[in-house]
C-alpha cells in the first residue's frame, strides 16, 4: 500500500477527499491530520461572525468526508517533518510514515505580545470559534452603560469584513454597552487591491456605521492603553481583532523544505515542492514563482489539480498544471444581510448580492457535506 498523508483540513484537501469518496483508487492508504473534525469554510466565516450562521453551518465535516473516502482521520497537530525519512511527527508523539505528503495548513497570525486589551487573532480559523465565544462572554459581562472600544488591525478583506461583522453582532450580544469601532491599516487606504468603486462602497458603510479608519499604522505592541505603532502612536482599545496579512506557520521550516522569504512553501505549477518531489502544498501555505493571492477562491481552484496530481504521482501518471485565474470575483459582507461585489473594475452592492453570495457559499458546502452524488 502507498501511504498518502494529508496535513490540514483546507479547501483543497476537501476536494481530494471528495474525489476519493467518489472513486477511491486501489492500493492507497489515505490519512488526514486535522486539529478538529469540523473546519470552517472561509467564505462564510464573516457571516458567522455577524450571527447569520451557526458554527456548524459554515464548516466542512471532515470526519464524514474521511468516512466516505475510506480515509483515516487523526485529530491532532503536526509538529515537524522528517523529509529525509518521509515521516510526519505529531505533537502527540505519534509518527506517520508517508510516501506522499500534502500540506494544506492555511496561514496564521502573530500578534505582538503584551498585556492590555482583550485580543482575538483572526487566524488560524480553526481556533476562531472558541475565541469568538470568549469575546461574547467578555462583552456580555460588562456593566450597563460601559464604553468599549473595538479596534481591528488590518486593512484587507479580513479586517474589513471583521469590523463590519463585529459591529453587527456585538450590538445584539450587549445592547447595554456603548461600543466604538476603528480599523487600522498599514497603508494609505483599506482594501488597496480592490476596485476603487468597491472600496468607495465599503467606505460609505464605514461612515454610516461610524467606523474610524486610521492609515499608515504599523502595529508593534500591545500595552495597557491599547495598540502602539512603530512611529509611537497609540490607539486606545478594549478589544483588538488581529486581522493582518497571512503569515506562514513556522513548523515546516525545520524540515529543510524550500520556502520563500516569508516562510511559505515554494511549489511549482504542479503544486509540488521545488525541493522535495514527494511533498505537495496548496492554499495559503503555498508560494508560487508568480505570486497567487492568499484567498480561498484560489485554494478551491487548486483542489482538482491537487486531487489529480496526488493520484498521478502515486500511480506513475503525468501531472497537471495549476493556472491561477487572472481575475476573480470578490464578495464582501457588510455586517447585515447585505454585501459588496467586485469583478475587476466593476462593483455592485445590495441585499441581492448577499443572497448571491449566500447561494454560492451554501452550494460549496453542499458539495462537500452532502451525499457523494452531489457534484
Amino acid at each position: 500500500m502507498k501511504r498518502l498523508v494529508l496535513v490540514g483540513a483546507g479547501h483543497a484537501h476537501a476536494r481530494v477527499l471528495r474525489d476519493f469518496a467518489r472513486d477511491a483508487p486501489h492500493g492507497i492508504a489515505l490519512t488526514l491530520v486535522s486539529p478538529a473534525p469540523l473546519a470552517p469554510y472561509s467564505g462564510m466565516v464573516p457571516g458567522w461572525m455577524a450571527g447569520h450562521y451557526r458554527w456548524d453551518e459554515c464548516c466542512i465535516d471532515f470526519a464524514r468526508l474521511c468516512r466516505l473516502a475510506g480515509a483515516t482521520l487523526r485529530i491532532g497537530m503536526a509538529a515537524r517533518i522528517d523529509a529525509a525519512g518521509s515521516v510526519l511527527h505529531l505533537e502527540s508523539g505519534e509518527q506517520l510514515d508517508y510516501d506522499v505528503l500534502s500540506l494544506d495548513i492555511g496561514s496564521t497570525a502573530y500578534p505582538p505580545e503584551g498585556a492590555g486589551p482583550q485580543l482575538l487573532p483572526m487566524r488560524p480559523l480553526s481556533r476562531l470559534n472558541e475565541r469568538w465565544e470568549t469575546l461574547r462572554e467578555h462583552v456580555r459581562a460588562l456593566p450597563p452603560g460601559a464604553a468599549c472600544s473595538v479596534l481591528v488591525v488590518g486593512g484587507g478583506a479580513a479586517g474589513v469584513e471583521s469590523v463590519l461583522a463585529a459591529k453587527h453582532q456585538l450590538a445584539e450580544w450587549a445592547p447595554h454597552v456603548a461600543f466604538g469601532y476603528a480599523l487600522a491599516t498599514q497603508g494609505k487606504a483599506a482594501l488597496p487591491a480592490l476596485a476603487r468603486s468597491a472600496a468607495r462602497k465599503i467606505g460609505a458603510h464605514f461612515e454610516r456605521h461610524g467606523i474610524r479608519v486610521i492609515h499608515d499604522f504599523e502595529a508593534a505592541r500591545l500595552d495597557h492603553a491599547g495598540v502602539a505603532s512603530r512611529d509611537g502612536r497609540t490607539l486606545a482599545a478594549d478589544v483588538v481583532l488581529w486581522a493582518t496579512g497571512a503569515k506562514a506557520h513556522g513548523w515546516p521550516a525545520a524540515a529543510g523544505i524550500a520556502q520563500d522569504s516569508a516562510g511559505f512553501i515554494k511549489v511549482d505549477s504542479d503544486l509540488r515542492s521545488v525541493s522535495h518531489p514527494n511533498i505537495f502544498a496548496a492554499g495559503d501555505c503555498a508560494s508560487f514563482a508568480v505570486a497567487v493571492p492568499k484567498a480561498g477562491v484560489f485554494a478551491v481552484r487548486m483542489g482538482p489539480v491537487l486531487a489529480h496530481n496526488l493520484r498521478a504521482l502515486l500511480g506513475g501518471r503525468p501531472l497537471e498544471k495549476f493556472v491561477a485565474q487572472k481575475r476573480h470575483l470578490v464578495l464582501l459582507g457588510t455586517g447585515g444581510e447585505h454585501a459588496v461585489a467586485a469583478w475587476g473594475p466593476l462593483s455592485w452592492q445590495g441585499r441581492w448580492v448577499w443572497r448571491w453570495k449566500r447561494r454560492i457559499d451554501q452550494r460549496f458546502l453542499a458539495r462537500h457535506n452532502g451525499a457523494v452524488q452531489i457534484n
Side-chain angles (χ1 to χ4, degrees):
M1 295 287 285
K2 299 283 185 160
R3 299 156 299 185
L4 171 57
V5 176
L6 312 179
V7 183
H11 303 343
H13 279 173
R15 177 56 185 260
V16 173
L17 289 165
R18 179 182 155 205
D19 280 12
F20 267 71
R22 290 188 298 188
D23 179 24
H26 296 293
I28 297 179
L30 178 61
T31 300
L32 171 72
V33 177
S34 172
L38 295 179
Y41 168 47
S42 59
M44 296 178 75
V45 166
W48 162 76
M49 289 176 63
H52 303 305
Y53 306 110
R54 300 189 312 271
W55 181 251
D56 63 294
E57 289 179 321
C58 64
C59 288
I60 299 173
D61 187 346
F62 274 87
R64 184 175 185 275
L65 269 179
C66 284
R67 288 195 301 272
L68 293 172
T72 299
L73 174 61
R74 290 281 189 270
I75 300 298
M77 299 288 291
R80 67 182 181 89
I81 301 167
D82 174 3
S86 295
V87 180
L88 175 72
H89 296 259
L90 306 186
E91 288 185 352
S92 64
E94 184 178 3
Q95 299 179 19
L96 298 177
D97 296 326
Y98 64 84
D99 295 292
V100 175
L101 181 71
S102 180
L103 304 175
D104 187 13
I105 56 177
S107 56
T108 190
Y110 295 105
E113 296 182 357
Q118 179 93 7
L119 177 65
L120 194 152
M122 303 306 294
R123 290 185 178 93
L125 291 178
S126 59
R127 297 187 58 190
L128 191 54
N129 186 22
E130 61 187 76
R131 290 166 171 165
W132 198 237
E133 181 64 25
T134 298
L135 177 61
R136 180 172 69 167
E137 297 306 314
H138 172 74
V139 299
R140 281 182 169 176
L142 295 173
C148 181
S149 58
V150 179
L151 173 65
V152 177
V153 180
V160 165
E161 288 194 287
S162 293
V163 71
L164 290 166
K167 175 72 168 59
H168 187 268
Q169 181 67 293
L170 267 59
E172 295 186 5
W173 282 350
H176 61 283
V177 174
F179 290 102
Y181 294 88
L183 181 140
T185 177
Q186 285 190 24
K188 301 292 183 183
L191 298 171
L194 202 64
R196 290 184 180 180
S197 60
R200 285 195 296 268
K201 289 179 173 65
I202 292 294
H205 284 281
F206 281 0
E207 291 182 12
R208 188 176 306 119
H209 292 297
I211 299 171
R212 292 190 303 133
V213 180
I214 298 93
H215 305 295
D216 298 317
F217 189 91
E218 187 176 356
R221 67 182 187 280
L222 302 175
D223 59 30
H224 65 281
V227 181
S229 70
R230 296 193 184 280
D231 62 11
R233 289 177 291 166
T234 297
L235 297 177
D238 300 300
V239 173
V240 176
L241 276 60
W242 197 267
T244 55
K247 302 295 183 183
H249 289 276
W251 62 266
I257 303 170
Q259 299 177 331
D260 66 12
S261 59
F264 294 105
I265 300 162
K266 294 175 71 173
V267 297
D268 58 21
S269 58
D270 300 331
L271 304 178
R272 189 155 58 160
S273 164
V274 299
S275 60
H276 292 74
N278 67 334
I279 296 178
F280 289 75
D284 280 7
C285 70
S287 174
F288 296 82
V290 177
V292 172
K294 306 291 186 188
V297 64
F298 292 95
V300 170
R301 295 290 183 90
M302 292 177 203
V305 178
L306 180 66
H308 174 274
N309 287 353
L310 292 174
R311 291 171 178 253
L313 183 65
L314 289 168
R317 301 190 307 276
L319 276 58
E320 292 182 353
K321 306 294 184 186
F322 168 72
V323 179
Q325 64 267 42
K326 296 185 182 300
R327 181 178 292 182
H328 66 284
L329 178 66
V330 178
L331 295 166
L332 300 175
T334 59
E337 294 185 348
H338 180 281
V340 172
W343 174 261
L346 306 176
S347 66
W348 307 267
Q349 67 174 333
R351 293 178 65 86
W352 69 270
V353 179
W354 165 259
R355 292 192 294 271
W356 182 24
K357 172 176 169 54
R358 186 184 183 103
R359 283 195 299 272
I360 291 172
D361 292 339
Q362 290 181 333
R363 189 177 300 122
F364 175 84
L365 275 187
R367 283 199 297 268
H368 295 87
N369 288 344
V372 176
Q373 65 267 21
I374 294 178
N375 294 316

